[in-house]
């Protein structure tokens, strides 16, 4: 049985070797921890800054056993890791955080929205479907226009289609691959907000100021934080975060995406049971960023402060945009974060830049 808090020198395992794992590993190193990364691809961004690298599939029993052998606690960097992998690690006697339930909830959009509603958190109206006839029934129930999404694996605008007419429902279902879908009512929102929150092993909760997000072609382009929100909205955000974290008995950082409607009402769009792209602004805008905060939580350490000391505009660098690194590094107000990916591809997240402004 792992004893918490973990002392420096302990090993934190990470399922996933992408940019989030890389930034988690760097944050863990600052606190004196080593990191072991399990990733299917060799030479991953996270593995190159970690003390240990295990190359293998996330559901490979021998790879999971090796990660368990190395680690004092295991976390994950993205929610498409099989929930069964986290359960297997727990069976091997390794503490995992966040829990397998949080991962399972976030991996299925119907399960996610059902959980949110049961936790007393509002979402758009939705219906589930498993075949073409059910998809038509779901669209009829929700009304048109409606957004049809695959229940699993969609991200950055992928795996979804708008249905403008009821007669188009079956074709949309087929175009999405014939897999189970969720049909969502549109949200007439003024803007998208997100909040990064963290819950410690003892149940303490800390919440960062919300950010305002802007997307292009379904991909997050930039986040501005702290966002200007009313006291009513701030109170809603705090209540929502507490309800979600406590209902899951959560440990670690979570990203919560929200729609702000006219009149100030907030609906939750999605959960991410991990550190989150919309929280990258905290790296240069706060005393303790989301990555260190996550390491603190899973290791059983006290949470750090979440107060901002700068206003930040975070911009994702996609594809060849990262080639402008020299010019970006020369901007005195900018802080450049590159992910160490070997190949630039169109639309691929290669890094981000945080531009700092005084708090008003």
């Amino acid at each position: 049985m792992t004893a918490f808090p973990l002392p420096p020198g302990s090993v934190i395992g990470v399922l996933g070797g992408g940019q989030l794992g890389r930034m988690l590993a760097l944050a863990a190193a600052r606190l004196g921890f080593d990191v072991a990364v399990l990733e299917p691809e060799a030479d991953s961004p996270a593995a190159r800054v970690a003390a240990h690298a295990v190359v293998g599939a996330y559901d490979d029993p021998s790879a999971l056993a090796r990660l368990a052998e190395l680690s004092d606690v295991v976390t994950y960097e993205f929610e498409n890791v099989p929930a069964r992998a986290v359960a297997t690690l727990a069976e091997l006697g390794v503490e995992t955080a966040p829990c397998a339930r949080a991962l399972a909830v976030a991996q299925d959009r119907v399960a996610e929205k059902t959980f949110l509603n049961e936790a007393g958190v509002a979402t758009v109206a939705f219906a589930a479907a498993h075949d073409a006839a059910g998809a038509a029934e779901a669209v009829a129930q929700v009304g048109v226009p409606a957004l049809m999404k695959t229940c699993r694996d969609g991200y950055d605008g992928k795996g979804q289609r708008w249905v403008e007419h009821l007669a188009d429902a079956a074709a949309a279902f087929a175009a999405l691959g014939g897999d189970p879908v969720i049909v969502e009512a549109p949200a007439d929102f003024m803007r998208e907000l997100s909040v990064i929150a963290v819950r410690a092993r003892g149940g303490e909760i800390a919440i960062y100021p919300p950010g305002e997000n802007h997307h292009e072609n379904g991909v997050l382009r930039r986040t501005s934080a702290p966002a200007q929100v009313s006291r009513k909205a701030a109170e809603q955000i705090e209540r929502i975060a507490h309800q979600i974290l406590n209902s899951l008995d959560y440990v670690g950082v979570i990203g919560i995406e929200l729609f702000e409607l006219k009149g100030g009402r907030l609906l939750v769009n999605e959960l991410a049971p991990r550190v989150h792209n919309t929280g990258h602004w905290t790296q240069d805008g706060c005393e303790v960023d989301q990555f260190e905060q996550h390491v603190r939580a899973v290791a059983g350490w006290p949470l750090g402060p979440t107060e901002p000391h700068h206003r930040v505009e975070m911009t994702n660098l996609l594809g060849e945009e990262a080639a402008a690194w020299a010019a970006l590094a020369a901007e005195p107000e900018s802080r450049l974060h590159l992910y160490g990916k070997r190949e630039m591809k169109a639309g691929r997240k290669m890094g981000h830049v945080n531009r700092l402004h005084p708090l008003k």
Side-chain angles (χ1 to χ4, degrees):
M1 191 71 177
T2 305
F4 293 98
L6 295 179
S10 300
V11 178
I12 296 175
V14 179
L15 289 164
Q19 65 261 24
L20 299 179
R22 181 184 180 96
M23 289 182 276
L24 280 172
L26 294 171
R30 290 199 304 271
L31 299 182
F33 294 108
D34 285 342
V35 167
V37 170
L38 170 57
E39 163 65 30
E41 296 184 12
D43 194 41
S44 67
R48 295 203 305 275
V49 300
H52 310 279
V54 180
V55 179
Y58 298 125
D59 57 358
D60 181 341
S62 61
L64 290 169
R66 177 57 178 157
L67 185 67
E69 179 185 7
L70 288 168
S71 306
D72 295 291
V73 66
V74 175
T75 188
Y76 44 87
E77 66 139 13
F78 74 125
E79 61 268 36
N80 288 332
V81 171
R84 182 60 199 161
V86 177
T88 297
L89 289 166
E91 291 166 4
L92 291 169
V94 181
E95 185 80 20
T96 59
C99 59
R101 183 187 176 213
L103 191 61
V105 163
Q107 285 179 343
D108 185 287
R109 289 189 169 100
V110 172
E112 181 180 62
K113 283 189 165 51
T114 301
F115 158 76
L116 288 167
N117 290 175
E118 290 175 348
V121 176
T123 65
V124 295
F126 66 95
H130 294 83
D131 54 32
E137 291 175 6
V139 171
Q141 177 182 332
V142 169
V144 291
L147 185 59
M148 187 181 295
K149 302 177 181 177
T150 55
C151 285
R152 305 178 74 89
D153 297 334
Y155 65 95
D156 285 347
K158 299 177 177 65
Q160 61 185 46
R161 279 182 174 255
W162 281 101
V163 180
E164 301 290 344
H165 306 283
L166 179 58
D168 299 332
F173 179 82
L176 290 173
D179 294 319
V181 297
I182 184 171
V183 176
E184 300 177 355
D188 185 18
F189 62 95
M190 298 188 300
R191 59 178 176 168
E192 182 190 289
L193 301 172
S194 60
V195 63
I196 304 299
V198 58
R199 186 174 184 269
R201 290 190 175 276
E204 301 87 359
I205 290 174
I207 303 172
Y208 288 93
E212 181 173 340
N213 305 318
H214 300 271
H215 291 78
E216 293 178 8
N217 301 317
V219 178
L220 179 70
R221 195 61 174 144
R222 64 186 184 276
T223 296
S224 301
Q228 295 296 315
V229 298
S230 66
R231 178 177 295 183
K232 177 182 176 182
E235 290 172 350
Q236 283 187 77
I237 290 169
E238 183 171 347
R239 176 185 58 80
I240 287 168
H242 276 78
Q243 286 173 269
I244 291 170
L245 291 168
N246 288 330
S247 294
L248 289 170
D249 195 21
Y250 196 89
V251 173
V253 162
I254 193 169
I256 304 171
E257 297 179 6
L258 305 137
F259 293 138
E260 184 180 30
L261 309 183
K262 294 177 182 177
R265 184 169 178 246
L266 296 174
L267 302 178
V268 172
N269 179 33
E270 289 185 352
L271 303 178
R274 53 170 171 82
V275 289
H276 196 247
N277 195 170
T278 65
H280 291 351
W281 72 274
T282 64
Q283 289 176 296
D284 301 295
C286 295
E287 297 291 340
V288 173
D289 68 34
Q290 65 165 342
F291 299 99
E292 180 179 330
Q293 204 75 268
H294 187 74
V295 172
R296 283 171 172 255
V298 301
W301 283 31
L303 301 180
T306 56
E307 291 80 9
H309 53 69
H310 279 84
R311 185 170 59 85
V312 179
E313 182 175 280
M314 187 284 301
T315 303
N316 277 326
L317 300 175
L318 306 179
E320 293 292 336
E321 293 171 352
W325 56 266
L328 292 168
E331 296 177 1
E333 77 282 6
S334 296
R335 304 294 180 266
L336 182 62
H337 300 263
L338 298 174
Y339 302 153
K341 295 180 179 179
R342 300 297 194 191
E343 184 181 358
M344 292 184 185
K345 297 179 182 178
R348 191 182 195 190
K349 293 175 182 174
M350 302 299 298
H352 64 272
V353 59
N354 284 333
R355 292 184 170 89
L356 307 187
H357 308 277
L359 281 176
K360 293 181 181 179

